[in-house]
Amino acid sequence: MHTSVDELFEALWQHYLTVTPSALKIHDLLGGGKAIVNDHVAFRTFNHPKLGLDKLAAHFLALGYEQKGEYHFEAKKLYARHYEHPDPAAPKVFISELLLEQCSPALQRIVARLIDQVDDTLPEQKDFLYSGAPWQISHADYKTLAAESEYAGWMAVYGYRANHFTVSVNHLEDYDSLDAVNSALKQAGFRLNDAGGEIKGSPDVLLEQSSTMADTALVQFTDGEASLPSCFYEFALRYPKPGGELYTGFVAASADKIFESTNTASG
């Protein structure tokens, strides 16, 4: 396990950049050389005893994080929780898992074959959260998974890594709205996720979110290779609750659309 929050997030960031090179360009564009505050990172997994949500969360709980909200995405067959650190400057963490028992027997069989390849000790290893895909998969099996669940297809090829980092728009010096951020991104040639509109959420739900469409990366299969959507960058603007503190949770309806950022058919 990591000894500090900063150490873990630096390792996650470097691993994320290997398949999301656009993130550095966005950093430069929005930060103008100044530090960017990371609102949250997100992870995906399967709800299998060996590799489920709790196995990922353990690494954050060990660093003082606490479980907060939980979320259900019925159409995508996902369950998620988010975690916060007592230090409000530490990024929030959003972890989701695919509910395998709700998926087809074909999908369950393929995922079982993947998980059979994984060493039981992997979740306890220091680099588990940025270890990538700990299995090999054929292109045919990937296509079967992706046809039923885009999430399962992504997980099968990219595995354990930050699915996205998130710019805290509240902390940007040169932008005072998510609309302004989106305009700058589009002018610079970045493609935004427009599922449900470019801005998901509203001041009424105390959170607005947008995201780029994922970069692409070359994926090695057992029987060839293919360029596939990898990871994306998200942007979050939080609004104050009645007491004046910024809202720190997530909005399921918005998160549902953010998942589309890795979808080949979206946008």
Side-chain angles (χ1 to χ4, degrees), residues 246-257:
L246 285 183
Y247 176 69
T248 58
F250 293 85
V251 178
S254 302
D256 187 74
K257 299 301 183 189

Side-chain angles (χ1 to χ4, degrees), residues 104-136:
S104 72
L107 182 147
Q108 291 183 47
R109 278 195 298 273
I110 293 171
V111 171
R113 286 204 295 273
L114 298 181
I115 294 174
D116 280 347
Q117 299 174 46
V118 179
D119 190 299
D120 287 345
T121 65
L122 176 67
E124 282 75 57
Q125 291 172 20
K126 183 178 179 179
D127 65 351
F128 171 48
L129 295 171
Y130 46 95
S131 57
W135 44 61
Q136 292 189 306

Side-chain angles (χ1 to χ4, degrees), residues 59-70:
H59 288 255
F60 295 100
L61 297 174
L63 292 170
Y65 275 80
E66 299 163 359
Q67 183 187 324
K68 297 295 183 180
E70 59 177 349

